[in-house]
Amino acid sequence: MKVIKFGGTSVGSAENIRRVKEIVLQQNESAIVVVSALGGVTDKILNAARMASIGTGYFHSELTEVKNRHYRIIEELFDEQSDDVLDRVDKLLKEMEKILTGVTLVGELTPKTIDRIVGLGERMSSHIIAKYIPGAVWKNSADYIRTDSNFGKANVNFKVTNRLIKSEFSDFKGIAVTPGFIAGNDSGEYTTLGRGGSDYTAAIYAAAIKASSLDIWTDVDGFMTADPRVISKAYTIESLSYAEAMELSHFGAKVIYPPTILPVYQKNIPIQIKNTLNPEGRGTLIAQKNANGVELPIKGISSISGIALITVQGIGMVGVTGISMRLFTALAKEEINVILISQASSENSISIAIEEQSAERAEIAINNEFEREIIKNQINPIVIESKLSIVAIVGENMKHTTGIAGKLFNTIGRNGINVVAIAQGASELNISWVVKNTDLRKTLNVVHESFFLSENIELNVFLMGIGTVGSHLLSQLKQQQEKLLKEKHLRIKLTGVANTKKMYFYRDGIDILHYREKMEDSNQDSSLDGFLKEMTDMNMYNSVFVDCTASDEVAGMYQQVLESNISVVTANKVAASSEYENYFKLKNTAKRKGIKFLFETNVGAGLPIINTLNDLVDSGDRILKIEAVLSGTLNFIFNTISAENKMSETIRMAMEEGYSEPDPRVDLSGVDVARKILILARESGYKLEMNDVKVNKFIPDEYFEGSVDEFFKKIPEVDADFEKQRKKLEEQGKKWRFVAHFQEGKAEAGLKEVDRSHPFYDLEGSNNLVMYTTERYNEFPMLIKGYGAGASVTAAGVFADLIKVASK
């Protein structure tokens, strides 16, 4: 024989009750079916009782709703021959009305009366279902489950209860339907089993008859790896041990009430959690050992909100016996439940987590208990922190797996989540910790993903700048999204985007195909402060800020972004080439926070120039010399200049074909190249400032004054001199290259003549080339060559940095 329990939602409508009937009739053995009240009915009955107790007489409206609810379901379920069940339900409704009228007259609502009233919901629903299932018989749980008279949460007398249940059901064949939640005392009065009582009722029956299984049908598929309302990727746990189920239930998983587990655990009876609305689902099996052979160290994550943390601290506690006993005795007298305990090994502090609503009573009780010690300053004034949540990871295999706690708190810390308190038992079955309510969502997502409870890694991207580079990046992201998800299990979500006019944010991810329309329709005007505030307020895990602008102001907010534990990926050279103190602070902040500050595209666009340099330095190599052609614009100019293409014409061509900035003097000045060699020198381990880089201009200073139009009017003046020098170079078999050079702590950039033997000679178009001479690569320097300019390759470099953030 098995025991089957159906919750309030499972019997909340005629359609669901039809499912209940199908499920019960599919069983191939006898069964005791335990039924809750119709969903929401218990609340209606309690509300009616409260109205009656204050003498308003308004309980009739609530009572009418309860009546209509039951009548409507009976009408939908029974085409005919419903008189019998109607009579039974009517009788119970009249009993309810009589009791409520009495409460109104005396103006008092005792726990005993409440138990009598609220149990009527289960009695009515069980009568309906017993009549609806062919061949089923109704049994009254109050006749078999014997309790004391602690009304509201009665204690079971298992010796008598087991005897009564065995006597009634040992030879029973067929289907018995019985109300959950209710019981009876020795005087024949109705009692109730408290919160989760219907689950507990089913477990009591199962343990007494040594059932083959306890099936609990509810409105969820079983225990989930996390709360699906917070984590969309949460999935059903197929198998749990009794201990794991108990821990998850204690820390907020509301699938099953914790006391339910104990009676069946003692008799080694498996519990199967199933969804009435999805009967084909596998559900969750709770048994002595995992049945599916999956050996994940973490089975699930659970959480409780509305927590207050009380800390008792003082040097007068050290070495003094009885402090803990006095603390917990004081709380027990006030019936305050302690959910979590964290104590320092020095014995000078104890922190306890309780329900927030009990904090004031707890403070008074503790102050009264330790009044003398507080007056003598042996114990500090009690500290209470509120608006907190407890998070717990649960899994029996944690005890066999090293590094769980290290990985856990490293992941949490890297995402900027502050842990207020920690607790772990010697059994290593769970690790619990306390965080602020505002960090709960992020905590759950981070931990769920970190321990492979989520199949995919998510990266939340906040993009500033959707010009040529930014728009190319989004195009590449859209093109690669499906492949990354399928092959790398990486989901890159665009969660925020801004240009100079508008910004738009969406936690679940912006459709890249329609991001421009979303921005145009957005009512949020773009501002740096507004973007930063929205990004930090969203408090999303695995966040990365991407800068595809050239703005000094945007670069100026990197420090705040990093301090918020958000990684930075930038194509903007301003920050990395700013004052060394700022550069070092940004790098150090990222390192301290365990996040990323990446700027690969600052030098050579998508070429792996900085990443390769970092690998050389990190592996112990020493950079002796760097020689590089780092300006695609200048390389284009010096590859294009000829007898037919004068210097002035070549400069205009570079601008018109998009190689140079709108004002080509930005490139001609050599400042951009100077910034790049400065960045490479710094990444090599040298402390240099921008004014330490010597720039040898090949265009006189006078041409950098005035407007762009004035520049193009005057620049032909240099054509003759350049053509003369060019011819001379051509005769010598040489070419011009604008070369950046770093050696022995000194950096410079300027025009250099190279012959055919030099690697720079054959550098075509706008390509870049970097040569690293190191202690290891001394005789034959390392060369990195390729496209060093262009929106597409720069966007690709930013994309590559994003992948690095995801794999941190």
Side-chain angles (χ1 to χ4, degrees), residues 624-680:
L624 303 177
K625 182 169 65 174
I626 301 173
E627 295 176 280
V629 173
L630 297 172
S631 172
T633 304
L634 296 181
N635 204 48
F636 171 82
I637 289 172
F638 291 115
N639 273 328
T640 307
I641 191 170
S642 64
E644 294 76 25
N645 297 316
K646 307 301 182 185
M647 173 59 78
S648 60
E649 295 170 354
T650 307
I651 293 171
R652 186 177 291 278
M653 288 170 62
M655 185 184 72
E656 291 173 349
E657 294 187 25
Y659 288 106
S660 77
E661 297 292 332
D663 183 347
R665 291 173 296 181
V666 173
D667 298 287
L668 296 172
S669 68
V671 171
D672 186 59
V673 174
R675 282 178 174 172
K676 292 175 180 178
I677 193 64
L678 173 66
I679 292 169
L680 294 181

Side-chain angles (χ1 to χ4, degrees), residues 375-668:
I375 291 172
K376 292 182 177 181
N377 292 323
Q378 294 173 340
I379 291 180
N380 301 337
I382 305 305
V383 176
I384 299 179
E385 298 175 78
S386 56
K387 297 181 180 178
L388 302 174
S389 297
I390 297 175
V391 185
I393 56 173
V394 174
E396 288 203 286
N397 286 326
M398 282 199 292
K399 70 182 75 171
H400 304 304
T401 308
T402 59
I404 293 292
K407 179 179 179 181
L408 171 68
F409 293 113
N410 178 57
T411 302
I412 291 171
R414 195 173 63 231
N415 279 274
I417 300 163
N418 182 48
V419 175
V420 182
I422 303 168
Q424 181 179 16
S427 67
E428 298 185 73
L429 180 60
N430 87 61
I431 301 174
S432 310
W433 66 100
V434 180
V435 298
K436 293 179 181 178
N437 286 343
T438 52
D439 284 331
L440 179 59
R441 175 186 288 270
K442 183 193 267 188
T443 303
L444 292 173
N445 276 284
V446 163
V447 176
H448 196 271
E449 181 175 291
S450 177
F451 285 95
F452 305 101
L453 296 174
S454 297
E455 183 181 358
N456 304 311
I457 297 171
E458 252 183 26
L459 198 65
N460 296 297
V461 173
F462 295 87
L463 173 63
M464 178 75 76
I466 53 171
T468 53
V469 175
S471 58
H472 273 81
L473 173 63
L474 290 177
S475 177
Q476 291 172 15
L477 281 175
K478 181 62 181 174
Q479 186 177 352
Q480 292 295 108
Q481 270 181 329
E482 187 176 339
K483 182 179 180 181
L484 285 172
L485 189 60
K486 183 178 179 180
E487 297 182 6
K488 302 293 185 182
H489 298 287
L490 173 62
R491 178 182 283 110
I492 299 180
K493 287 194 319 187
L494 179 66
T495 43
V497 62
N499 59 15
T500 56
K501 295 180 180 179
K502 292 281 189 178
M503 57 186 186
Y504 177 68
F505 301 87
Y506 185 49
R507 176 177 289 274
D508 293 333
I510 301 165
D511 184 351
I512 293 177
L513 281 177
H514 304 290
Y515 76 93
R516 289 192 184 275
E517 297 97 298
K518 293 292 185 182
M519 287 184 64
E520 289 171 6
D521 295 340
S522 173
N523 57 7
Q524 291 180 284
D525 292 332
S526 186
S527 72
L528 295 184
D529 289 342
F531 193 92
L532 178 63
K533 184 178 186 305
E534 190 72 30
M535 182 169 59
T536 52
D537 285 352
M538 288 174 73
N539 200 24
M540 298 186 73
Y541 70 106
N542 286 357
S543 291
V544 55
F545 173 70
V546 179
D547 180 10
C548 287
T549 74
S551 165
D552 290 14
E553 290 77 14
V554 175
M557 64 187 246
Y558 290 176
Q559 183 64 34
Q560 291 172 274
V561 175
L562 293 169
E563 289 289 356
S564 301
N565 283 82
I566 298 171
S567 292
V568 172
V569 168
T570 178
N572 185 343
K573 290 184 281 291
V574 171
S577 60
S578 62
E579 293 79 7
Y580 183 85
E581 183 181 353
N582 183 59
Y583 158 84
F584 180 79
K585 186 177 181 182
L586 293 173
K587 296 268 290 186
N588 195 50
T589 301
K591 183 178 179 181
R592 174 169 51 86
K593 293 282 187 176
I595 53 179
K596 298 289 187 182
F597 172 42
L598 301 177
F599 42 89
E600 179 66 70
T601 56
N602 282 192
V603 181
L607 294 175
I609 293 172
I610 294 177
N611 188 53
T612 302
L613 180 59
N614 293 153
D615 288 344
L616 290 171
V617 173
D618 291 344
S619 65
D621 204 352
R622 192 165 73 89
I623 308 301
L624 303 177
K625 182 169 65 174
I626 301 173
E627 295 176 280
V629 173
L630 297 172
S631 172
T633 304
L634 296 181
N635 204 48
F636 171 82
I637 289 172
F638 291 115
N639 273 328
T640 307
I641 191 170
S642 64
E644 294 76 25
N645 297 316
K646 307 301 182 185
M647 173 59 78
S648 60
E649 295 170 354
T650 307
I651 293 171
R652 186 177 291 278
M653 288 170 62
M655 185 184 72
E656 291 173 349
E657 294 187 25
Y659 288 106
S660 77
E661 297 292 332
D663 183 347
R665 291 173 296 181
V666 173
D667 298 287
L668 296 172

Side-chain angles (χ1 to χ4, degrees), residues 51 102 129 208 210 275-276 515 621 748:
M51 289 181 174
I129 291 170
K210 296 183 180 178
N275 188 349
T276 313
Y515 76 93
D621 204 352
E748 66 176 325

Side-chain angles (χ1 to χ4, degrees), residues 79-93:
D79 295 331
E80 53 187 32
Q81 296 180 345
S82 60
D83 291 346
D84 181 39
V85 70
L86 270 173
D87 288 343
R88 293 181 186 182
V89 171
D90 268 335
K91 183 179 178 181
L92 294 173
L93 287 167

